[in-house]
Amino acid sequence: DTDVTIYPGLLSLTSQGELVRTLKTEKAVKADIDAAVKLLLKLKADYKQVTGQDYKAGCPPLESTVLEDTGPAAAVDGEDMVDPWNVSTTSAKGVDYDKLIVRFGSSKVDQELVDRIERVSGKKPHRFLRRGIFFSHRDMHQVLDAYEKNKSFYLYTGRGPSSEAMHVGHLIPFIFTKWLQDTFDIPLVIQLTDDEKYLWKDLSLEDCHRYAVENAKDIIACGFDVNKTFIFSDLDYMGASPDFYRNVVKIQKHVTFNQVKGIFGFGDSDCIGKIAFPAIQAAPSFSNSFPQIFKGRKDIQCLIPCAIDQDPYFRMTRDVAPRIGYPKPALLHSTFFPALQGAQTKMSASDANSSIFLTDTPKQIKNKVNKHAFSGGKDTIEEHRKYGGNPDVDVSFMYLTFFLEDDEQLDKIRQDYASGALLTGELKKRLIDTLQPMITAHQERRKQVTEEMVLKFMTPRPLDFNF
């Protein structure tokens, strides 16, 4: 016990060391072993940072040297922290996505892939592809190979409904998924993980389900085609679909507790619902989880557009898939949408000033941008005119890369801001003028969404497709 009172991180270090040994003896998947080793090294670095000593198994640090525990989640050596629940970085430019590709073992969305999507689809690539907002992928070339041979695929994305209000960052995967659906003319399933939010947050089951239905209205307002889109709440669909639940159980049988601990960092005091949950997020990756859409077929490839923090779920899914006789899902990963205060964190739905909400009035949008948007400009107009601003850390410029369609205009804004010709106030005005009509239009579309429409989208039914 004395070890723990001296240095709380020692306990997690010991158990992580044991986990690495177990994974190696079980001959686990290389990606899982690598992830567990990486965490172990990080914990050792934390330990050294806190105690000033190298970690030796079974030897508690000398009491005199112990500093305050920074906890195992603290980022070491400027390393970015990215998992499904936490995103943080010390850089004002945001997470280093090239490093993340190497760490997660995915592939970069390069110009060759963007050009190929344009060739295969016959459409101009979405601005999120042109600008590297969707920057990483797994098996996208394989999806395109099959599509060129007239083999279709389907889309799967989702949302964790933790509150009624959604912010503009939540729209990113949906805006892009809608473009993919329109471009390739394919079905889409959208999972609302109200069960996950109940397990992770201090919310009632009723509230989580209500948030799912409210969030569905914002998703429908993005313009999805009801004949090609199925939106489902886990709390509803799990109990209504034997095929879906059968897949959940198959996945659960093929993932060990050690694997989920290694991938998600679960501890012994986490409720068992959390430990079982990853299988539920994995199940929609397999087409026979939706027999009403795919007529029981299990061989239709799935493409998942999501933010990169969700990747651990699908690394696990891709590992299990061949062992239960299913194709691996392909993925397209997006960058994080930065908080108004700067790109060190992703936006939070619980902090009203960290983001622009889809319910904000034009006046609120203007005030939030002017007051809270982190600026890359200089302190005085004279200095700014002379030295220019830094668009790479300026949140208003970052937001414009997401929402301003015109590439030439965006490039001119970048050049003018960097040269000092464009002032921070003027840049913020450009963003306000872009966001206000976009959000007002979204609010208008949401008003048109009736309870009947929500029910239609959320009812398990055949979609307009022949596979």
Side-chain angles (χ1 to χ4, degrees):
D1 280 357
T2 50
D3 298 0
V4 184
T5 47
I6 295 171
Y7 174 61
L10 196 60
L11 194 62
S12 48
L13 239 172
T14 315
S15 60
Q16 190 64 21
E18 284 166 9
L19 174 64
V20 169
R21 280 191 293 282
T22 314
L23 288 174
K24 284 180 176 172
T25 25
E26 282 184 2
K27 295 195 168 47
V29 187
K30 186 177 179 302
D32 291 344
I33 297 175
D34 290 350
V37 169
K38 197 160 196 82
L39 181 58
L40 180 64
L41 295 173
K42 193 165 140 349
L43 290 170
K44 284 184 176 178
D46 279 346
Y47 179 90
K48 187 164 185 178
Q49 202 178 15
V50 170
T51 64
Q53 299 165 42
D54 287 320
Y55 169 72
K56 287 193 188 71
C59 300
L62 302 169
E63 206 159 344
S64 59
T65 58
V66 174
L67 311 169
E68 192 188 337
D69 175 26
T70 55
V76 179
D77 298 335
E79 184 81 352
D80 299 332
M81 172 84 194
V82 176
D83 69 26
W85 306 280
N86 301 289
V87 176
S88 63
T89 173
T90 50
S91 162
K93 289 182 181 177
V95 170
D96 185 328
Y97 291 106
D98 287 331
K99 271 191 190 166
L100 209 54
I101 287 174
V102 174
R103 212 165 102 195
F104 281 10
S106 57
S107 310
K108 194 177 173 66
V109 172
D110 52 15
Q111 196 52 50
E112 184 200 343
L113 179 58
V114 176
D115 293 344
R116 186 172 180 208
I117 291 171
E118 182 168 18
R119 267 199 321 278
V120 173
S121 69
K123 302 255 174 77
K124 180 183 178 180
H126 193 274
R127 62 180 182 272
F128 291 172
L129 281 171
R130 303 196 303 267
R131 295 176 192 163
I133 287 166
F134 274 80
F135 70 100
S136 152
H137 74 99
R138 295 182 188 277
D139 288 347
M140 191 60 200
H141 281 291
Q142 193 182 304
V143 171
L144 295 172
D145 288 344
Y147 189 77
E148 283 183 313
K149 295 180 185 129
N150 295 319
K151 275 178 124 178
S152 196
F153 60 99
Y154 74 101
L155 297 164
Y156 157 39
T157 192
R159 155 106 188 109
S162 54
S163 69
E164 257 177 65
M166 281 171 64
H167 58 59
V168 281
H170 293 139
L171 288 182
I172 304 307
F174 295 112
I175 291 170
F176 187 59
T177 302
K178 178 179 169 12
W179 179 83
L180 288 168
Q181 183 183 55
D182 294 346
T183 301
F184 291 99
D185 188 31
I186 43 177
L188 158 67
V189 295
I190 298 174
Q191 180 182 47
L192 300 171
T193 56
D194 40 10
D195 52 347
E196 175 208 14
K197 290 304 168 193
Y198 174 68
L199 293 167
W200 260 267
K201 298 203 176 257
D202 187 18
L203 296 166
S204 74
L205 209 49
E206 292 69 32
D207 278 348
C208 292
H209 187 261
R210 188 166 53 82
Y211 295 155
V213 175
E214 286 305 310
N215 285 186
K217 292 175 185 171
D218 279 302
I219 293 166
I220 292 166
C222 292
F224 291 108
D225 182 342
V226 71
N227 298 311
K228 298 174 192 170
T229 309
F230 173 46
I231 302 175
F232 63 99
S233 130
D234 283 343
L235 292 174
D236 290 336
Y237 191 59
M238 256 294 264
S241 173
D243 296 81
F244 187 87
Y245 183 58
R246 279 177 165 81
N247 274 343
V248 169
V249 173
K250 279 185 188 173
I251 298 157
Q252 285 173 339
K253 182 169 179 169
H254 290 82
V255 180
T256 67
F257 182 42
N258 273 330
Q259 280 175 303
V260 288
K261 276 205 293 193
I263 300 167
F264 301 100
F266 294 141
D268 294 345
S269 56
D270 279 311
C271 72
I272 58 173
K274 288 184 180 182
I275 293 143
F277 174 75
I280 299 171
Q281 188 159 322
S285 312
F286 306 130
S287 56
N288 62 347
S289 292
F290 306 99
Q292 70 281 10
I293 302 172
F294 302 110
K295 324 239 184 330
R297 281 183 55 180
K298 63 176 191 179
D299 60 337
I300 297 164
Q301 170 106 48
C302 174
L303 172 63
I304 305 169
C306 63
I308 186 88
D309 59 335
Q310 297 301 303
D311 185 68
Y313 284 111
F314 302 115
R315 286 204 294 276
M316 181 197 85
T317 310
R318 285 167 56 85
D319 170 45
V320 170
R323 293 191 281 145
I324 55 177
Y326 297 150
K328 292 181 178 186
L331 285 103
L332 277 168
H333 301 121
S334 74
T335 59
F336 302 115
F337 194 80
L340 279 169
Q341 285 75 6
Q344 277 92 342
T345 59
K346 66 174 184 174
M347 276 193 179
S348 159
S350 44
D351 175 3
N353 288 325
S354 78
S355 32
I356 306 288
F357 283 86
L358 301 180
T359 47
D360 284 351
T361 62
K363 192 178 175 188
Q364 283 172 312
I365 294 168
K366 185 181 174 181
N367 288 343
K368 279 187 186 179
V369 172
N370 282 332
K371 211 173 184 173
H372 298 289
F374 183 80
S375 161
K378 298 292 180 283
D379 293 340
T380 65
I381 290 181
E382 292 72 27
E383 273 184 42
H384 188 87
R385 291 275 187 229
K386 191 173 174 185
Y387 302 111
N390 181 355
D392 293 329
V393 301
D394 192 283
V395 168
S396 299
F397 183 77
M398 289 179 193
Y399 281 22
L400 283 171
T401 61
F402 281 89
F403 297 120
L404 187 66
E405 176 56 38
D406 191 314
D407 290 341
E408 283 175 21
Q409 249 185 349
L410 186 72
D411 205 43
K412 184 165 172 22
I413 291 170
R414 171 186 269 285
Q415 287 168 9
D416 287 352
Y417 193 59
S419 72
L422 189 72
L423 297 172
T424 296
E426 295 167 329
L427 175 59
K428 286 187 170 188
K429 187 175 185 315
R430 289 301 300 267
L431 175 63
I432 293 162
D433 291 346
T434 304
L435 284 177
Q436 283 175 332
M438 183 187 103
I439 292 188
T440 305
H442 178 88
Q443 290 165 356
E444 287 305 312
R445 288 194 304 271
R446 194 186 192 281
K447 274 186 205 149
Q448 311 300 314
V449 177
T450 62
E451 297 299 329
E452 293 73 40
M453 281 167 77
V454 175
L455 190 63
K456 190 163 185 201
F457 269 97
M458 295 186 78
T459 301
R461 64 204 187 283
L463 298 180
D464 277 2
F465 282 90
N466 291 311
F467 280 91

